[in-house]
Amino acid sequence: MKIHIKNGHLIDPANGIDAQQDVFIAAGKIAGIGSAPEGFVASKVIDATGLVVAPGLVDLSARLREPGYEHKATLESEMQAAVQGGVTSLVCPPDTEPVLDEPGLVEMLKHRAKSLNQAHVYPLGALTAGLKGESLTEMAELAEAGCIGFSQADNPILDTTVLLRAMQYAKTFEYTVWLRPQDPHLGRTGVAHSGPVASRLGLSGVPVMAETVALHTILELVRVTGARVHLCRMSTAAGLELVRAAKKEGLPISCDVGAHHIHLTENDIGFFDSNARLTPPLRSQRDRDAIRNALLDGTIDAICSDHTPVDDDEKLLPFGEASPGATGLELLLSLALKWAEDCVDGKQQLSRAIAKVTTDAARIVGLQSGQLATGSVADICVFDPAERWTVSSKVLASQGKHTPFLGYEVAGQVKATIVAGHIAFQR
């Protein structure tokens, strides 16, 4: 299909474009920007007057719940949620059932995702067999099957020697290790941020040092091995100071933050609202402000949705017993735009927000997506940055209907999502 997107405001941070320009798509790729290629005749025209045309969003953490947890979500529902949210590429953690620790399982997931012909799926392979933290997986075989990195998801490695060996192995083949910094013992039973709110509500806490102690270990192993590490879901001001210093030192690290943590704090738990039960927990306002500033100065590389659909049976429980997680794929764009509106001055607002969920995220994964250069794959999100919509279970395509933003009015509605040159969603 040949598609002509006309009269749109094109924003492509990777190539420094922020102007009204038409986009021409043919054979699944960008055939031209600004002016049509010779002999181009569109079979479909999308009028983007008053809309922003941007690269498709790249989400660094979206649990699709397949295989094994289809009662929480299915590949069909979550891929629909992705394209409805403008997400064209997503990274899925390995904590499925069974765990993504064998090439056959990875190939099956990729085949299932490809057959749906929606967003591109990039699996993370398990760093250790069964995510048990004891023996390493065959990383080379998993990489051949399509894994773009290796992770423990939220499962800790108790034996630091195992983590050292894993990072040495990864360095040998230049694989990226994705780690969420949380000490396996500090705050192990915690359900909320250690502070006055948790104390007042009688909830067990996860202290800031659970993140910083783990970071000290990870960064020391990076110094020794030279392995590239991506730090997932940073949540504290003290942790970000360590990351900032490590980047200045030149260590090969990057990091992301969950979209919820840019806006919410421990106070949003309210009266035991289990929708606000997240991992890592919502932190203090000081931590939230540090996250916003770290996005501005580049300490935090990208924003992810941390999409973790949870069903009613596991969420509609007392706060301490509810499963952590929230749906986020359809909120990623709006929450990124809200951060820029609050924190970025002047004309750079849209460009800075889009960069954090497109080109900057794509760079971490090593993808060529997240940009709209002529000849690149036509992954595109067309959205209205001003149109407001109310978050409700009815409008969410995800099977997981639980999010702390239920009832909030947010700006930024996706009008069309194009994946590899075909229209995967149009409102």
Side-chain angles (χ1 to χ4, degrees):
M1 179 181 283
K2 292 184 177 181
I3 303 172
H4 174 197
I5 305 174
K6 67 177 185 178
N7 302 328
H9 179 187
L10 182 62
I11 298 182
D12 179 11
N15 295 296
I17 301 172
D18 188 346
Q20 183 170 321
Q21 291 198 12
D22 287 10
V23 179
F24 302 88
I25 300 166
K29 298 194 173 181
I30 307 288
I33 300 286
S35 56
E38 190 174 340
F40 184 93
V41 179
S43 53
K44 173 78 173 178
V45 177
I46 297 176
D47 187 355
T49 303
L51 306 178
V52 170
V53 180
L57 275 57
V58 179
D59 191 351
L60 295 179
S61 180
R63 287 175 168 85
L64 303 177
R65 295 306 199 190
E66 279 199 41
Y69 297 108
E70 288 83 357
H71 61 287
K72 297 182 181 181
T74 64
L75 210 55
E76 286 85 353
S77 66
E78 305 321 289
M79 297 293 270
Q80 181 61 37
V83 294
Q84 193 163 305
V87 176
T88 57
S89 299
L90 50 87
V91 176
C92 59
D95 52 351
T96 49
E97 179 59 48
V99 167
L100 296 181
D101 60 0
E102 293 183 7
L105 294 169
V106 175
E107 289 166 355
M108 181 186 72
L109 175 62
K110 286 186 70 72
H111 176 74
R112 277 268 292 131
K114 192 172 183 180
S115 69
L116 294 174
N117 203 25
Q118 291 183 304
H120 310 288
V121 172
Y122 299 96
L124 290 171
L127 195 61
T128 61
L131 296 177
K132 294 177 180 176
E134 296 169 358
S135 58
L136 303 187
T137 55
E138 295 291 343
M139 292 188 216
E141 292 181 7
L142 288 168
E144 283 182 20
C147 289
I148 52 91
F150 298 91
S151 166
Q152 279 293 106
D154 291 331
N155 299 62
I157 293 179
L158 299 177
D159 187 341
T160 310
T161 303
V162 174
L163 183 55
L164 171 65
R165 298 284 178 259
M167 289 169 70
Q168 288 172 330
Y169 186 133
K171 173 59 180 173
T172 302
F173 296 96
E174 295 300 332
Y175 300 143
T176 302
V177 178
W178 296 49
L179 299 172
R180 191 175 73 78
Q182 180 163 315
D183 183 87
H185 304 293
L186 293 168
R188 180 174 49 199
T189 59
V191 298
H193 169 66
S194 286
V197 173
S199 297
R200 188 170 68 248
L201 296 176
L203 298 172
S204 55
V206 180
V208 167
M209 63 179 171
E211 184 165 287
T212 55
V213 167
L215 271 172
H216 278 293
T217 300
I218 292 167
L219 295 175
E220 189 58 36
L221 293 177
V222 171
R223 289 186 185 96
V224 170
T225 62
R228 184 172 184 276
V229 168
H230 177 67
L231 301 165
C232 309
R233 260 72 71 218
M234 295 297 300
S235 70
T236 68
L240 289 168
E241 279 302 317
L242 293 174
V243 172
R244 189 174 282 116
K247 284 190 166 188
K248 285 181 181 176
E249 187 184 329
L251 296 184
I253 62 170
S254 55
C255 71
D256 66 49
V257 65
H260 307 94
H261 288 75
I262 304 170
H263 301 290
L264 304 178
T265 69
E266 59 186 338
N267 293 314
D268 290 290
I269 291 172
F271 293 102
F272 303 99
D273 180 6
S274 60
N275 284 325
R277 172 82 203 278
L278 303 171
T279 300
L282 294 172
R283 298 288 188 179
S284 69
Q285 185 169 332
R286 175 176 174 270
D287 294 314
R288 194 275 311 270
D289 293 345
I291 286 169
R292 291 179 156 207
N293 291 329
L295 279 165
L296 277 176
D297 68 21
T299 301
I300 297 177
D301 299 274
I303 301 169
C304 72
S305 73
D306 196 20
H307 178 72
T308 309
V310 180
D311 64 348
D312 288 353
D313 289 346
E314 294 185 16
K315 203 64 170 172
L316 300 179
L317 293 170
F319 189 91
E321 298 172 28
S323 291
T327 188
L329 277 168
E330 295 154 89
L331 291 166
L332 179 58
L333 175 63
S334 293
L335 295 180
L337 294 175
K338 177 60 177 168
W339 162 74
E341 180 187 327
D342 291 347
C343 302
V344 180
D345 295 327
K347 292 182 178 180
Q348 290 293 309
Q349 282 187 6
L350 277 172
S351 182
R352 291 289 295 274
I354 290 168
K356 291 295 180 186
V357 291
T358 59
T359 180
D360 294 346
R363 192 180 302 118
I364 290 167
V365 186
L367 301 177
Q368 293 301 309
S369 54
Q371 60 167 329
L372 298 178
T374 301
S376 63
V377 175
D379 291 342
I380 296 174
C381 172
V382 181
F383 68 94
D384 185 340
E387 184 166 341
R388 306 188 72 81
W389 59 283
T390 301
V391 182
S392 71
S393 57
K394 290 181 180 178
V395 302
L396 295 174
S398 171
Q399 195 169 312
K401 305 298 184 183
H402 297 280
T403 163
F405 292 101
L406 282 175
Y408 280 60
E409 187 180 72
V410 294
Q413 187 168 65
V414 175
K415 297 297 183 182
T417 303
I418 297 170
V419 182
H422 83 274
I423 299 172
F425 171 77
Q426 191 164 16
R427 193 175 296 279

